[in-house]
Amino acid sequence: MRTSAFTRVCTRLVLLVALTLAAAPAPQPSRPAAADADTAGVPAVGRAWPVGVRPRVLRGWEPPATPYGRGHRGVDLAAAPGARVRAVAAGRVSFADRVAGRGVVSLELDATGDPPLRTTYEPVHPSVTEGTEVAAGEPLGTVEPTGSHCAPPCLHWGLRRADTYLNPLALLPPALLNRAPPRLLPIPGP
């Protein structure tokens, strides 16, 4: 009988250990350093989307494995030709001209460290000139009807600190990134 009681206790113990291990959360894979690098040191200073209220992201941020490797160094936002392009945050226009046949506006953002963060927008017909100080949400120009690298037309929005490309979505606070607009719920009565 003692063997039987001992066997039951051992069986219960093995079962308890197995259930404990099964219920324990699985270890989470660590994020690659490149994934953390795309948001490291990027303050959420954005106050507006560059186009629309919550534009559809046609193609997201895909950091390259090497400085000259393949990737997507920004995000493509759905935008119709002629759509107004706005400054995501306050800053100074550091470039507003054509590059390889496309209109490009580059904005050096205020209070974002040294070297400062720089956002780029293309293809844009600029309404600002180099050196212009702009507030968040202020117009920079309009989406050009040609020169976009995606179909349907889009706005390519990029972010850099010196020579390092970063994820521009990191500039936006969570309230702007949420998919659903906020809703007011009724307060239950007495």
Side-chain angles (χ1 to χ4, degrees), residues 33-35 37 61-73 163-166:
W61 163 253
E62 299 166 15
T66 63
Y68 301 105
R70 293 180 57 147
H72 192 238
R73 293 161 173 85
D163 292 331
T164 304
Y165 288 91
L166 303 164

Side-chain angles (χ1 to χ4, degrees), residues 55-128:
R56 190 165 41 104
V57 176
L58 301 175
R59 184 172 177 195
W61 163 253
E62 299 166 15
T66 63
Y68 301 105
R70 293 180 57 147
H72 192 238
R73 293 161 173 85
V75 295
D76 292 338
L77 304 174
R84 180 172 286 160
V85 177
R86 296 183 309 266
V88 171
R92 183 185 58 78
V93 176
S94 57
F95 183 85
D97 207 343
R98 301 196 74 71
V99 175
R102 294 182 182 144
V104 176
V105 174
S106 185
L107 182 65
E108 193 173 278
L109 303 181
D110 293 344
T112 56
D114 188 29
L117 291 171
R118 216 170 354 132
T119 56
T120 56
Y121 311 85
E122 68 172 271
V124 175
H125 180 74
S127 61
V128 292

Side-chain angles (χ1 to χ4, degrees), residues 47-56 77-78 84 86 172 175-182:
R47 298 293 171 253
W49 283 91
V51 289
V53 177
R54 283 187 178 90
R56 190 165 41 104
L77 304 174
R84 180 172 286 160
R86 296 183 309 266
L172 299 177
L176 285 177
L177 289 172
N178 291 337
R179 292 285 175 220

